[in-house]
Amino acid sequence: MDTQTLIYIFVGLTFALYIGIAIWSRAGSTSEYYVAGGGVHPIANGMATGADWMSAASFISMAGIISFIGRDGAVYLMGWTGGYVLLAMCLAPYLRKFGKFTVPEFIGERYYSQAARVVAVVCVIFISFTYVAGQMRGVGIVFSRYLEVDINAGVLIGMAIVFFYAVLGGMKGITYTQVAQYCVMIFAYMIPAIYISMLITGNPIPQLGFGGTLSGSDTYLLDKLNGLSQELGFSQYTGGSKSTVDMFFITMALMVGTAGLPHVIVRFFTVPKVSDARKSAGYALLFIAILYTTAPAVASFARVNLLETVSEAEYQELPDWFESWENAGLLAWKDKNADGKIQYQAGKPFEGKPAFDSEARGASEERLVTNQATDNGNELYVDRDIMVLANPEIAQLPGWVVALMAAGGLAAALSTAAGLLLVISTSISHDLLKSNIMPNIDEKKELLAARLAAAAAICVAGYFGINPPGFVAQVVAFAFGLAASSFFPAILMGIFYKKMNKEGAIAGMVSGLVFTFAYIIYFKFVNPAANTADNWFFGISPEGIGTLGMLLNFVVAIAVSKVTAPPPEHIQHLVEDIRVPRGAGAPVADH
């Protein structure tokens, strides 16, 4: 059976499983739609949290970034891992104890202000759309390659699948679908990693192979990678180009941004008790660590395989996978010296992303690109997001492993997209309509409003997936920066600083969000030519500016709270009470 048929079978079976779960777990009330009825087992919730966390950015893009930029890519690994620990250990149990299942609801109750709640709703929607754009792009990339359609059509197919189980099943459907998706993802990630680790290093444990020597040699894997990189004009793989300050700020923005991400926080309200929230956080950390500790090894294996396979290779003698990814528009070759061989070196092969001349072919039967060639020696364009997905093919693994990777990539992109879309719909139907605009709306109409909001959110997310402002992990990194500068200080001070009042919280969130958003927009859209370290504020890149936005939020919030009235006595007692992490809380008390 050929690889493409196996892909159709694997992807078809997993889709049938997801849809079957959505039908079986169809939400019948707002409680089931928002928090799965609050009765999910901690292990199941840990797996669902892991799937929610291991988005397209983690599964598809993180190893790709590390593969291309080496040490600098470790910021994503450190930031996301540290952020999850911060969220699981320091914030989630307290939020669960508070008993309000959305971030805007917590902000509104803690700061006794509907205005604060509305500001939080705006922040949630803004952050979630930024994040979901990256996920939908990931969906498009995976579909385009494995179902042999273009990326835009892939995004539309992904929208249809997410629409079905997110709108129908709500949090209940999403939770149990994510349990299945976690199993698919982790097998899809680990099996190729184990295979390739054995091929390259002779060690079946990728984490050990990463630090080991090559099979039949005394040369360490990383030394080999450094040598290959420098030979082709790339910088040393284990070296780095980012300044220490920028590395710190990006890592911190990712870390605290994680702790403020609403789609992860809401997962801790789907279990019956506070103690279960702690247990599920621990299980999720274990499940996430399996993938995160493997990612650096996958990145190195993929880089070695790519450099050894394509450099100075005759185009017409390349394996089939090259043409498949070229047809998907994620690989492109411009034969600058007309020698029929691929020169893969440092620098861009041409200006911008590849624009193909329809189906026109060159002298070696390659797809012709119309972009203006650059004056360096590099002829090959490789989209970073394909490195994990193409890895099994580059390493010439069996067809069923490639098919499993296809199913895993789709599961990763779909799982997080569904969680984010649910957060957006909940913010609109529960925090905006039920709590502000239409307080007398009955449960049936609220559930309908939530489903309509989810449907509208999927359409907007699809648009951003087709027109993304960057590749997957960068888009996601902006969402973390925005979350860091808005929610994290408000949540942290809401739990641990009883003197923080509504005026301070609102002023802090608005100032942090506006500052961070304006900085990113200026360097990414208004004046991208100025996006260099020389022009950055204190040498901090747009990816790391969320940390500065967070500090601004803290300063403004505390300053404003000092010159305005303190919170009411009952709020201060409430803050003291939630710092004692016991009791079940009442996550769905309003329903």
Side-chain angles (χ1 to χ4, degrees), residues 33 42 44 65 106-107 119-120 133 138 194 222 226 235 257 316 323 339 343 491 506-507 518 532 551 559 561 585:
Y33 192 87
I65 290 179
F106 169 79
I107 299 286
V119 170
I194 292 169
L222 291 177
N226 279 336
S235 57
Q316 291 184 326
E323 186 179 354
D339 66 348
Q343 275 79 48
I491 295 172
I506 294 172
T532 63
L551 296 175
S561 69

Side-chain angles (χ1 to χ4, degrees), residues 122-133:
V122 173
C123 292
V124 161
I125 293 172
F126 198 78
I127 292 164
S128 298
F129 271 127
T130 307
Y131 198 175
V132 82

Side-chain angles (χ1 to χ4, degrees), residues 34-357:
Y34 293 146
V35 291
V40 180
H41 191 277
I43 294 180
N45 196 48
M47 295 174 82
T49 307
D52 224 345
W53 188 247
M54 292 188 299
S55 59
S58 298
F59 188 95
I60 298 172
S61 203
M62 184 169 65
I65 290 179
I66 297 172
S67 184
F68 273 74
I69 64 177
R71 187 208 70 161
D72 290 348
V75 295
Y76 295 97
L77 200 63
M78 294 185 295
W80 288 339
T81 307
Y84 182 78
V85 174
L86 183 66
L87 170 65
M89 303 303 163
C90 300
L91 298 184
Y94 302 108
L95 291 172
R96 179 66 180 81
K97 175 77 186 298
F98 195 80
K100 300 298 178 185
F101 66 88
T102 69
V103 172
E105 198 171 27
F106 169 79
I107 299 286
E109 292 289 326
R110 164 60 183 84
Y111 295 112
Y112 47 97
S113 165
Q114 285 300 92
R117 186 171 182 153
V118 172
V119 170
V121 168
V122 173
C123 292
V124 161
I125 293 172
F126 198 78
I127 292 164
S128 298
F129 271 127
T130 307
Y131 198 175
V132 82
Q135 308 309 314
M136 295 310 290
R137 179 71 177 172
V139 170
I141 288 171
V142 182
F143 272 111
S144 70
R145 163 61 188 89
Y146 293 119
L147 301 187
E148 298 187 338
V149 296
D150 70 30
I151 291 180
N152 294 349
V155 170
L156 294 174
I157 295 171
M159 288 167 62
I161 299 288
V162 173
F163 176 85
F164 189 82
Y165 72 81
V167 172
L168 187 68
M171 179 58 90
K172 189 177 177 186
I174 287 172
T175 297
Y176 292 109
T177 306
Q178 284 175 336
V179 172
Q181 286 170 334
Y182 174 81
C183 297
V184 173
M185 268 190 275
I186 207 66
F187 278 108
Y189 204 84
M190 293 306 298
I191 288 176
I194 292 169
Y195 251 109
I196 298 170
S197 182
M198 289 181 69
L199 286 173
I200 294 180
T201 69
N203 195 320
I205 302 173
Q207 292 87 341
L208 298 179
F210 176 61
T213 56
L214 300 171
S215 289
S217 165
D218 293 331
T219 305
Y220 283 93
L221 171 69
L222 291 177
D223 288 339
K224 167 86 172 177
L225 200 44
N226 279 336
L228 278 173
S229 300
Q230 290 181 304
E231 194 178 304
L232 297 175
F234 296 99
S235 57
Q236 199 176 46
Y237 187 77
T238 54
S241 59
K242 290 184 182 297
S243 68
T244 304
V245 170
D246 198 29
M247 288 278 286
F248 174 80
F249 272 77
I250 294 175
T251 304
M252 184 60 75
L254 293 169
M255 189 180 291
V256 297
T258 301
L261 277 178
H263 75 290
V264 180
I265 290 173
V266 74
R267 292 236 57 92
F268 296 99
F269 291 95
T270 61
V271 292
K273 299 180 294 186
V274 173
S275 59
D276 290 336
R278 288 180 179 275
K279 288 177 189 171
S280 66
Y283 286 125
L285 187 59
L286 174 66
F287 297 141
I288 291 167
I290 295 172
L291 185 142
Y292 270 52
T293 56
T294 309
V298 170
S300 303
F301 299 153
R303 189 68 178 165
V304 168
N305 277 332
L306 179 72
L307 293 178
E308 290 190 329
T309 304
V310 303
S311 183
E312 294 298 327
E314 294 271 359
Y315 177 84
Q316 291 184 326
E317 294 178 2
L318 285 170
D320 293 342
W321 62 264
F322 191 97
E323 186 179 354
S324 299
W325 287 102
E326 188 184 25
N327 289 337
L330 299 169
L331 276 180
W333 175 54
K334 199 174 186 74
D335 194 7
K336 292 179 179 175
N337 56 5
D339 66 348
K341 292 182 178 179
I342 294 176
Q343 275 79 48
Y344 185 36
Q345 302 169 8
K348 293 180 180 179
F350 41 73
E351 299 297 336
K353 293 201 169 185
F356 294 96
D357 183 11

Side-chain angles (χ1 to χ4, degrees), residues 406-491:
L410 287 169
L414 292 173
S415 63
T416 305
L420 287 163
L421 291 166
L422 187 73
V423 165
I424 294 170
S425 74
T426 303
S427 297
I428 293 171
S429 62
H430 183 69
D431 294 310
L432 212 55
L433 284 182
K434 175 75 174 177
S435 302
N436 285 284
I437 300 172
M438 302 168 67
N440 297 321
I441 188 172
D442 62 35
E443 182 171 327
K444 191 175 177 183
K445 288 180 180 173
E446 186 184 347
L447 187 59
L448 176 63
R451 287 187 162 130
L452 291 174
I458 289 169
C459 294
V460 178
Y463 172 80
F464 284 123
I466 292 170
N467 302 286
F471 61 88
V472 175
Q474 275 196 344
V475 174
V476 172
F478 293 145
F480 283 83
L482 295 172
S485 62
S486 57
F487 282 139
F488 180 75
I491 295 172

Side-chain angles (χ1 to χ4, degrees), residues 345-370:
Q345 302 169 8
K348 293 180 180 179
F350 41 73
E351 299 297 336
K353 293 201 169 185
F356 294 96
D357 183 11
S358 187
E359 295 304 315
R361 297 281 169 171
S364 299
E365 290 300 305
E366 80 277 16
R367 287 188 78 187
L368 285 178
V369 288
T370 57

